[in-house]
Amino acid sequence: MSEHRTDRQNIDDFMLELFDNIAEYRSIREESSAALRQAFFDLALAKRSAGYRWISPDLYSANAQAIATVAVCENSCEVVGGIYRRDIREIAGPDGSSSDCSDDAVDSEKDALSKRCSNSQKSKAKKKCKASDNPLLWFGMLVPPKLKEAQGGFAASLDHFIRLAQLKRSMQLKQDAIKQSLEAVDA
Amino acid sequence: MSQTTHKTRTLIAAIGDEDTITGLLLAGIGDIDTHQRANFFVVDSKTTQEQIEETFTSFTKRKDIAVILINQHVAEDIRGILDEYKAAFPTVLEIPSKDHPYDPSKDSVLKRVQLLFGD
């Protein structure tokens, strides 16, 4: 009997947490939709002012390296924290020398970079990679101001998406826990 | 509780139309690895369902991708394969596009919750 009460209490707790997650999920969906609409609008204006052929997939860098990444937890199988944005100024400076950095993500990026390049071409490749690190620069040095605003809008939307992914995983876990508890009560 | 973070699974992949991919690349998710594999895929009018499914499957098998963002209208084209996908990583999230705003009635996350409550 006490076990059933515990299972029922668990079900109640999980349900309440699930409802909270659903409410937060819906709220963030609305926020992200609004931010995304504005970002798409800014992108359309930027394409119109710069010319459609200047902001297209043809200009995507073939050496693109992600500057926005996430961290995942093996144990709980979920994305932890938010978006990590690599500061591209921490990678090789204008003269090719790299600044000191204790950040793990930047160190791992440097390791990946050194593995990709042969020793003889390392300094050349560093300069090449540096130029393509900021995606805004793929579309030219003088980009329309609206493109920069669009970049900000999409970056903000990306933060929302990661939070939505975390909520999705949390809701899946709670639903599974509710099902298990219901089966335990029925048993 | 200590958390062990997986240092290689860090990328955000994207499957969507040109404007969505351009925007997400501007946000900094774009990555092309040493094998010339990109973590993004542009879907246009000439893209076939098989190509989308193949790209989605290849993204799910990669060990460096943590999240896959896919336009909701593109997700509808591969709904079967999406519904069968149950792995924790990479996490799949459907996002709206410029021409197809977010439709809560097609959101797989909310549909699953409705199933739980027997709706």
Side-chain angles (χ1 to χ4, degrees):
Chain A
M1 179 83 167
S2 60
E3 285 176 4
H4 278 195
R5 283 189 65 191
T6 306
D7 286 331
R8 288 181 194 283
Q9 281 171 355
N10 285 342
I11 292 171
D12 288 341
D13 292 340
F14 290 140
M15 290 280 231
L16 287 172
E17 286 170 18
L18 181 62
F19 290 145
D20 284 341
N21 284 162
I22 292 170
E24 188 181 353
Y25 183 86
R26 284 194 159 139
S27 167
I28 295 177
R29 272 289 185 190
E30 283 178 17
E31 279 178 41
S32 71
S33 291
L36 210 53
R37 266 197 303 273
Q38 184 60 44
F40 278 129
F41 184 67
D42 291 337
L43 183 61
L45 288 178
K47 281 187 167 185
R48 188 167 172 238
S49 66
Y52 290 92
R53 67 187 178 93
W54 287 111
I55 302 175
S56 73
D58 295 335
L59 294 175
Y60 298 163
S61 170
N63 297 318
Q65 293 178 51
I67 59 175
T69 54
V70 294
V72 304
C73 173
E74 270 180 12
N75 296 340
S76 57
C77 291
E78 57 186 353
V79 176
V80 293
I83 296 274
Y84 171 75
R85 286 197 171 81
R86 178 165 57 91
D87 187 352
I88 56 174
R89 291 171 300 176
E90 290 172 356
I91 308 297
D95 59 351
S97 61
S98 56
S99 55
D100 288 336
C101 180
S102 58
D103 191 279
D104 285 346
V106 177
D107 285 342
S108 67
E109 289 287 350
K110 287 182 181 174
D111 288 339
L113 181 59
S114 60
K115 279 175 190 170
R116 291 179 205 201
C117 310
S118 65
N119 288 335
S120 59
Q121 294 177 345
K122 199 179 288 187
S123 55
K124 253 191 205 174
K126 261 188 187 173
K127 285 178 188 170
K128 274 186 189 172
C129 289
K130 177 179 73 69
S132 63
D133 277 349
N134 185 352
L136 206 59
L137 299 178
W138 301 351
F139 305 104
M141 292 301 293
L142 295 172
V143 294
K146 280 296 178 187
L147 191 64
K148 212 166 180 185
E149 287 182 33
Q151 184 182 45
F154 280 108
S157 296
L158 199 57
D159 288 330
H160 288 132
F161 294 151
I162 296 309
R163 183 59 191 139
L164 287 171
Q166 291 171 331
L167 283 170
K168 178 184 175 183
R169 180 65 187 151
S170 173
M171 285 156 66
Q172 278 175 343
L173 290 173
K174 291 197 176 44
Q175 286 173 67
D176 292 342
I178 289 169
K179 279 183 189 168
Q180 281 178 1
S181 297
L182 283 171
E183 284 165 8
V185 166
D186 290 339
Chain B
M1 187 175 76
S2 63
Q3 290 181 332
T4 309
T5 52
H6 205 281
K7 291 201 173 178
T8 57
R9 204 182 276 278
T10 59
L11 295 180
I12 303 164
I15 302 172
D17 58 20
E18 185 184 313
D19 282 340
T20 302
I21 296 299
T22 301
L24 291 174
L25 291 184
L26 279 172
I29 71 160
D31 189 87
I32 296 179
D33 65 8
T34 49
H35 303 290
Q36 291 299 301
R37 294 183 306 178
N39 69 335
F40 53 91
F41 182 69
V42 180
V43 175
D44 56 24
S45 54
K46 297 175 187 170
T47 309
T48 62
Q49 184 185 337
E50 288 76 23
Q51 285 174 311
I52 302 171
E53 286 180 355
E54 193 183 317
T55 303
F56 177 77
T57 306
S58 69
F59 283 171
T60 56
K61 287 180 179 169
R62 282 175 60 168
K63 299 270 189 274
D64 54 353
I65 292 176
V67 179
I68 298 174
L69 303 175
I70 181 169
N71 279 147
Q72 201 172 35
H73 73 280
V74 174
E76 284 297 310
D77 291 341
I78 58 167
R79 184 54 65 195
I81 202 171
L82 270 179
D83 287 345
E84 286 173 5
Y85 179 74
K86 306 275 184 220
F89 286 122
T91 304
V92 179
L93 185 75
E94 295 171 31
I95 61 174
S97 66
K98 187 177 76 171
D99 299 324
H100 298 85
Y102 171 65
D103 185 353
S105 66
K106 292 180 184 171
D107 191 332
S108 56
V109 175
L110 297 179
K111 273 189 193 172
R112 198 163 177 258
V113 172
Q114 279 179 332
L115 279 174
L116 177 68
F117 294 112
D119 288 346

mmCIF file with all atom_site columns, all heavy atoms in Angstrom, chain A residues 155-171:
data_model
loop_
_atom_site.group_PDB
_atom_site.id
_atom_site.type_symbol
_atom_site.label_atom_id
_atom_site.label_alt_id
_atom_site.label_comp_id
_atom_site.label_asym_id
_atom_site.label_entity_id
_atom_site.label_seq_id
_atom_site.pdbx_PDB_ins_code
_atom_site.Cartn_x
_atom_site.Cartn_y
_atom_site.Cartn_z
_atom_site.occupancy
_atom_site.B_iso_or_equiv
_atom_site.pdbx_formal_charge
_atom_site.auth_seq_id
_atom_site.auth_comp_id
_atom_site.auth_asym_id
_atom_site.auth_atom_id
_atom_site.pdbx_PDB_model_num
ATOM 1   N N   . ALA A 1 155 ? 21.386 34.004 -34.100 1.00 0.00 ? 155 ALA A N   1
ATOM 2   C CA  . ALA A 1 155 ? 22.152 33.548 -32.931 1.00 0.00 ? 155 ALA A CA  1
ATOM 3   C C   . ALA A 1 155 ? 21.228 33.458 -31.706 1.00 0.00 ? 155 ALA A C   1
ATOM 4   O O   . ALA A 1 155 ? 21.299 32.498 -30.934 1.00 0.00 ? 155 ALA A O   1
ATOM 5   C CB  . ALA A 1 155 ? 23.313 34.491 -32.663 1.00 0.00 ? 155 ALA A CB  1
ATOM 6   N N   . ALA A 1 156 ? 20.359 34.451 -31.553 1.00 0.00 ? 156 ALA A N   1
ATOM 7   C CA  . ALA A 1 156 ? 19.413 34.418 -30.436 1.00 0.00 ? 156 ALA A CA  1
ATOM 8   C C   . ALA A 1 156 ? 18.446 33.242 -30.582 1.00 0.00 ? 156 ALA A C   1
ATOM 9   O O   . ALA A 1 156 ? 18.107 32.562 -29.607 1.00 0.00 ? 156 ALA A O   1
ATOM 10  C CB  . ALA A 1 156 ? 18.639 35.735 -30.372 1.00 0.00 ? 156 ALA A CB  1
ATOM 11  N N   . SER A 1 157 ? 18.001 32.999 -31.814 1.00 0.00 ? 157 SER A N   1
ATOM 12  C CA  . SER A 1 157 ? 17.094 31.865 -32.063 1.00 0.00 ? 157 SER A CA  1
ATOM 13  C C   . SER A 1 157 ? 17.786 30.546 -31.735 1.00 0.00 ? 157 SER A C   1
ATOM 14  O O   . SER A 1 157 ? 17.151 29.607 -31.242 1.00 0.00 ? 157 SER A O   1
ATOM 15  C CB  . SER A 1 157 ? 16.646 31.857 -33.519 1.00 0.00 ? 157 SER A CB  1
ATOM 16  O OG  . SER A 1 157 ? 15.887 33.004 -33.810 1.00 0.00 ? 157 SER A OG  1
ATOM 17  N N   . LEU A 1 158 ? 19.068 30.481 -32.033 1.00 0.00 ? 158 LEU A N   1
ATOM 18  C CA  . LEU A 1 158 ? 19.813 29.249 -31.753 1.00 0.00 ? 158 LEU A CA  1
ATOM 19  C C   . LEU A 1 158 ? 19.811 28.939 -30.263 1.00 0.00 ? 158 LEU A C   1
ATOM 20  O O   . LEU A 1 158 ? 19.668 27.777 -29.847 1.00 0.00 ? 158 LEU A O   1
ATOM 21  C CB  . LEU A 1 158 ? 21.244 29.411 -32.264 1.00 0.00 ? 158 LEU A CB  1
ATOM 22  C CG  . LEU A 1 158 ? 22.065 28.157 -32.479 1.00 0.00 ? 158 LEU A CG  1
ATOM 23  C CD1 . LEU A 1 158 ? 21.388 27.211 -33.447 1.00 0.00 ? 158 LEU A CD1 1
ATOM 24  C CD2 . LEU A 1 158 ? 23.447 28.527 -32.991 1.00 0.00 ? 158 LEU A CD2 1
ATOM 25  N N   . ASP A 1 159 ? 19.935 29.980 -29.431 1.00 0.00 ? 159 ASP A N   1
ATOM 26  C CA  . ASP A 1 159 ? 19.862 29.774 -27.980 1.00 0.00 ? 159 ASP A CA  1
ATOM 27  C C   . ASP A 1 159 ? 18.510 29.172 -27.600 1.00 0.00 ? 159 ASP A C   1
ATOM 28  O O   . ASP A 1 159 ? 18.428 28.260 -26.779 1.00 0.00 ? 159 ASP A O   1
ATOM 29  C CB  . ASP A 1 159 ? 20.052 31.109 -27.246 1.00 0.00 ? 159 ASP A CB  1
ATOM 30  C CG  . ASP A 1 159 ? 21.482 31.608 -27.324 1.00 0.00 ? 159 ASP A CG  1
ATOM 31  O OD1 . ASP A 1 159 ? 22.394 30.770 -27.402 1.00 0.00 ? 159 ASP A OD1 1
ATOM 32  O OD2 . ASP A 1 159 ? 21.681 32.838 -27.329 1.00 0.00 ? 159 ASP A OD2 1
ATOM 33  N N   . HIS A 1 160 ? 17.451 29.689 -28.218 1.00 0.00 ? 160 HIS A N   1
ATOM 34  C CA  . HIS A 1 160 ? 16.105 29.149 -27.945 1.00 0.00 ? 160 HIS A CA  1
ATOM 35  C C   . HIS A 1 160 ? 16.019 27.688 -28.359 1.00 0.00 ? 160 HIS A C   1
ATOM 36  O O   . HIS A 1 160 ? 15.436 26.860 -27.650 1.00 0.00 ? 160 HIS A O   1
ATOM 37  C CB  . HIS A 1 160 ? 15.044 29.946 -28.708 1.00 0.00 ? 160 HIS A CB  1
ATOM 38  C CG  . HIS A 1 160 ? 14.810 31.313 -28.165 1.00 0.00 ? 160 HIS A CG  1
ATOM 39  N ND1 . HIS A 1 160 ? 14.763 32.439 -28.967 1.00 0.00 ? 160 HIS A ND1 1
ATOM 40  C CD2 . HIS A 1 160 ? 14.606 31.757 -26.910 1.00 0.00 ? 160 HIS A CD2 1
ATOM 41  C CE1 . HIS A 1 160 ? 14.530 33.494 -28.222 1.00 0.00 ? 160 HIS A CE1 1
ATOM 42  N NE2 . HIS A 1 160 ? 14.431 33.117 -26.964 1.00 0.00 ? 160 HIS A NE2 1
ATOM 43  N N   . PHE A 1 161 ? 16.589 27.362 -29.538 1.00 0.00 ? 161 PHE A N   1
ATOM 44  C CA  . PHE A 1 161 ? 16.487 25.990 -30.046 1.00 0.00 ? 161 PHE A CA  1
ATOM 45  C C   . PHE A 1 161 ? 17.167 24.999 -29.099 1.00 0.00 ? 161 PHE A C   1
ATOM 46  O O   . PHE A 1 161 ? 16.659 23.899 -28.871 1.00 0.00 ? 161 PHE A O   1
ATOM 47  C CB  . PHE A 1 161 ? 17.121 25.876 -31.440 1.00 0.00 ? 161 PHE A CB  1
ATOM 48  C CG  . PHE A 1 161 ? 16.397 26.638 -32.507 1.00 0.00 ? 161 PHE A CG  1
ATOM 49  C CD1 . PHE A 1 161 ? 17.079 27.133 -33.606 1.00 0.00 ? 161 PHE A CD1 1
ATOM 50  C CD2 . PHE A 1 161 ? 15.033 26.874 -32.420 1.00 0.00 ? 161 PHE A CD2 1
ATOM 51  C CE1 . PHE A 1 161 ? 16.418 27.855 -34.592 1.00 0.00 ? 161 PHE A CE1 1
ATOM 52  C CE2 . PHE A 1 161 ? 14.363 27.590 -33.400 1.00 0.00 ? 161 PHE A CE2 1
ATOM 53  C CZ  . PHE A 1 161 ? 15.065 28.083 -34.489 1.00 0.00 ? 161 PHE A CZ  1
ATOM 54  N N   . ILE A 1 162 ? 18.308 25.392 -28.565 1.00 0.00 ? 162 ILE A N   1
ATOM 55  C CA  . ILE A 1 162 ? 19.015 24.491 -27.664 1.00 0.00 ? 162 ILE A CA  1
ATOM 56  C C   . ILE A 1 162 ? 18.205 24.285 -26.398 1.00 0.00 ? 162 ILE A C   1
ATOM 57  O O   . ILE A 1 162 ? 18.118 23.168 -25.867 1.00 0.00 ? 162 ILE A O   1
ATOM 58  C CB  . ILE A 1 162 ? 20.433 25.027 -27.361 1.00 0.00 ? 162 ILE A CB  1
ATOM 59  C CG1 . ILE A 1 162 ? 21.263 25.057 -28.644 1.00 0.00 ? 162 ILE A CG1 1
ATOM 60  C CG2 . ILE A 1 162 ? 21.112 24.188 -26.289 1.00 0.00 ? 162 ILE A CG2 1
ATOM 61  C CD1 . ILE A 1 162 ? 21.275 23.754 -29.423 1.00 0.00 ? 162 ILE A CD1 1
ATOM 62  N N   . ARG A 1 163 ? 17.582 25.334 -25.906 1.00 0.00 ? 163 ARG A N   1
ATOM 63  C CA  . ARG A 1 163 ? 16.732 25.198 -24.715 1.00 0.00 ? 163 ARG A CA  1
ATOM 64  C C   . ARG A 1 163 ? 15.541 24.287 -25.037 1.00 0.00 ? 163 ARG A C   1
ATOM 65  O O   . ARG A 1 163 ? 15.144 23.451 -24.218 1.00 0.00 ? 163 ARG A O   1
ATOM 66  C CB  . ARG A 1 163 ? 16.247 26.589 -24.265 1.00 0.00 ? 163 ARG A CB  1
ATOM 67  C CG  . ARG A 1 163 ? 15.407 26.574 -22.987 1.00 0.00 ? 163 ARG A CG  1
ATOM 68  C CD  . ARG A 1 163 ? 16.137 25.988 -21.804 1.00 0.00 ? 163 ARG A CD  1
ATOM 69  N NE  . ARG A 1 163 ? 15.247 25.741 -20.681 1.00 0.00 ? 163 ARG A NE  1
ATOM 70  C CZ  . ARG A 1 163 ? 15.291 24.654 -19.902 1.00 0.00 ? 163 ARG A CZ  1
ATOM 71  N NH1 . ARG A 1 163 ? 16.196 23.724 -20.116 1.00 0.00 ? 163 ARG A NH1 1
ATOM 72  N NH2 . ARG A 1 163 ? 14.445 24.510 -18.905 1.00 0.00 ? 163 ARG A NH2 1
ATOM 73  N N   . LEU A 1 164 ? 14.985 24.426 -26.241 1.00 0.00 ? 164 LEU A N   1
ATOM 74  C CA  . LEU A 1 164 ? 13.873 23.558 -26.646 1.00 0.00 ? 164 LEU A CA  1
ATOM 75  C C   . LEU A 1 164 ? 14.325 22.103 -26.720 1.00 0.00 ? 164 LEU A C   1
ATOM 76  O O   . LEU A 1 164 ? 13.582 21.188 -26.337 1.00 0.00 ? 164 LEU A O   1
ATOM 77  C CB  . LEU A 1 164 ? 13.318 24.006 -28.007 1.00 0.00 ? 164 LEU A CB  1
ATOM 78  C CG  . LEU A 1 164 ? 12.498 25.297 -28.013 1.00 0.00 ? 164 LEU A CG  1
ATOM 79  C CD1 . LEU A 1 164 ? 12.198 25.730 -29.444 1.00 0.00 ? 164 LEU A CD1 1
ATOM 80  C CD2 . LEU A 1 164 ? 11.202 25.138 -27.241 1.00 0.00 ? 164 LEU A CD2 1
ATOM 81  N N   . ALA A 1 165 ? 15.534 21.874 -27.219 1.00 0.00 ? 165 ALA A N   1
ATOM 82  C CA  . ALA A 1 165 ? 16.060 20.504 -27.299 1.00 0.00 ? 165 ALA A CA  1
ATOM 83  C C   . ALA A 1 165 ? 16.211 19.916 -25.894 1.00 0.00 ? 165 ALA A C   1
ATOM 84  O O   . ALA A 1 165 ? 15.903 18.742 -25.660 1.00 0.00 ? 165 ALA A O   1
ATOM 85  C CB  . ALA A 1 165 ? 17.400 20.490 -28.030 1.00 0.00 ? 165 ALA A CB  1
ATOM 86  N N   . GLN A 1 166 ? 16.674 20.742 -24.952 1.00 0.00 ? 166 GLN A N   1
ATOM 87  C CA  . GLN A 1 166 ? 16.811 20.275 -23.568 1.00 0.00 ? 166 GLN A CA  1
ATOM 88  C C   . GLN A 1 166 ? 15.436 19.941 -22.976 1.00 0.00 ? 166 GLN A C   1
ATOM 89  O O   . GLN A 1 166 ? 15.263 18.928 -22.298 1.00 0.00 ? 166 GLN A O   1
ATOM 90  C CB  . GLN A 1 166 ? 17.488 21.353 -22.708 1.00 0.00 ? 166 GLN A CB  1
ATOM 91  C CG  . GLN A 1 166 ? 18.949 21.566 -23.042 1.00 0.00 ? 166 GLN A CG  1
ATOM 92  C CD  . GLN A 1 166 ? 19.535 22.779 -22.347 1.00 0.00 ? 166 GLN A CD  1
ATOM 93  O OE1 . GLN A 1 166 ? 18.832 23.741 -22.053 1.00 0.00 ? 166 GLN A OE1 1
ATOM 94  N NE2 . GLN A 1 166 ? 20.832 22.744 -22.098 1.00 0.00 ? 166 GLN A NE2 1
ATOM 95  N N   . LEU A 1 167 ? 14.462 20.789 -23.252 1.00 0.00 ? 167 LEU A N   1
ATOM 96  C CA  . LEU A 1 167 ? 13.108 20.549 -22.731 1.00 0.00 ? 167 LEU A CA  1
ATOM 97  C C   . LEU A 1 167 ? 12.511 19.295 -23.354 1.00 0.00 ? 167 LEU A C   1
ATOM 98  O O   . LEU A 1 167 ? 11.823 18.519 -22.685 1.00 0.00 ? 167 LEU A O   1
ATOM 99  C CB  . LEU A 1 167 ? 12.209 21.758 -23.022 1.00 0.00 ? 167 LEU A CB  1
ATOM 100 C CG  . LEU A 1 167 ? 12.418 22.966 -22.126 1.00 0.00 ? 167 LEU A CG  1
ATOM 101 C CD1 . LEU A 1 167 ? 11.651 24.167 -22.662 1.00 0.00 ? 167 LEU A CD1 1
ATOM 102 C CD2 . LEU A 1 167 ? 11.978 22.674 -20.697 1.00 0.00 ? 167 LEU A CD2 1
ATOM 103 N N   . LYS A 1 168 ? 12.765 19.097 -24.624 1.00 0.00 ? 168 LYS A N   1
ATOM 104 C CA  . LYS A 1 168 ? 12.245 17.912 -25.315 1.00 0.00 ? 168 LYS A CA  1
ATOM 105 C C   . LYS A 1 168 ? 12.760 16.648 -24.627 1.00 0.00 ? 168 LYS A C   1
ATOM 106 O O   . LYS A 1 168 ? 12.001 15.724 -24.341 1.00 0.00 ? 168 LYS A O   1
ATOM 107 C CB  . LYS A 1 168 ? 12.666 17.930 -26.781 1.00 0.00 ? 168 LYS A CB  1
ATOM 108 C CG  . LYS A 1 168 ? 12.213 16.699 -27.559 1.00 0.00 ? 168 LYS A CG  1
ATOM 109 C CD  . LYS A 1 168 ? 12.735 16.699 -28.974 1.00 0.00 ? 168 LYS A CD  1
ATOM 110 C CE  . LYS A 1 168 ? 12.360 15.386 -29.650 1.00 0.00 ? 168 LYS A CE  1
ATOM 111 N NZ  . LYS A 1 168 ? 12.884 15.269 -31.017 1.00 0.00 ? 168 LYS A NZ  1
ATOM 112 N N   . ARG A 1 169 ? 14.057 16.636 -24.341 1.00 0.00 ? 169 ARG A N   1
ATOM 113 C CA  . ARG A 1 169 ? 14.661 15.469 -23.704 1.00 0.00 ? 169 ARG A CA  1
ATOM 114 C C   . ARG A 1 169 ? 14.083 15.283 -22.293 1.00 0.00 ? 169 ARG A C   1
ATOM 115 O O   . ARG A 1 169 ? 13.769 14.168 -21.880 1.00 0.00 ? 169 ARG A O   1
ATOM 116 C CB  . ARG A 1 169 ? 16.184 15.669 -23.641 1.00 0.00 ? 169 ARG A CB  1
ATOM 117 C CG  . ARG A 1 169 ? 16.941 14.532 -22.991 1.00 0.00 ? 169 ARG A CG  1
ATOM 118 C CD  . ARG A 1 169 ? 16.839 13.268 -23.770 1.00 0.00 ? 169 ARG A CD  1
ATOM 119 N NE  . ARG A 1 169 ? 17.430 12.144 -23.060 1.00 0.00 ? 169 ARG A NE  1
ATOM 120 C CZ  . ARG A 1 169 ? 17.057 10.881 -23.184 1.00 0.00 ? 169 ARG A CZ  1
ATOM 121 N NH1 . ARG A 1 169 ? 16.077 10.568 -24.020 1.00 0.00 ? 169 ARG A NH1 1
ATOM 122 N NH2 . ARG A 1 169 ? 17.639 9.925  -22.509 1.00 0.00 ? 169 ARG A NH2 1
ATOM 123 N N   . SER A 1 170 ? 13.934 16.393 -21.578 1.00 0.00 ? 170 SER A N   1
ATOM 124 C CA  . SER A 1 170 ? 13.392 16.336 -20.220 1.00 0.00 ? 170 SER A CA  1
ATOM 125 C C   . SER A 1 170 ? 11.964 15.790 -20.240 1.00 0.00 ? 170 SER A C   1
ATOM 126 O O   . SER A 1 170 ? 11.591 14.946 -19.409 1.00 0.00 ? 170 SER A O   1
ATOM 127 C CB  . SER A 1 170 ? 13.430 17.743 -19.620 1.00 0.00 ? 170 SER A CB  1
ATOM 128 O OG  . SER A 1 170 ? 12.785 17.764 -18.378 1.00 0.00 ? 170 SER A OG  1
ATOM 129 N N   . MET A 1 171 ? 11.169 16.235 -21.209 1.00 0.00 ? 171 MET A N   1
ATOM 130 C CA  . MET A 1 171 ? 9.788  15.771 -21.314 1.00 0.00 ? 171 MET A CA  1
ATOM 131 C C   . MET A 1 171 ? 9.745  14.283 -21.675 1.00 0.00 ? 171 MET A C   1
ATOM 132 O O   . MET A 1 171 ? 8.910  13.539 -21.164 1.00 0.00 ? 171 MET A O   1
ATOM 133 C CB  . MET A 1 171 ? 9.036  16.599 -22.368 1.00 0.00 ? 171 MET A CB  1
ATOM 134 C CG  . MET A 1 171 ? 8.673  17.995 -21.855 1.00 0.00 ? 171 MET A CG  1
ATOM 135 S SD  . MET A 1 171 ? 8.431  19.245 -23.125 1.00 0.00 ? 171 MET A SD  1
ATOM 136 C CE  . MET A 1 171 ? 6.989  18.662 -23.962 1.00 0.00 ? 171 MET A CE  1
#
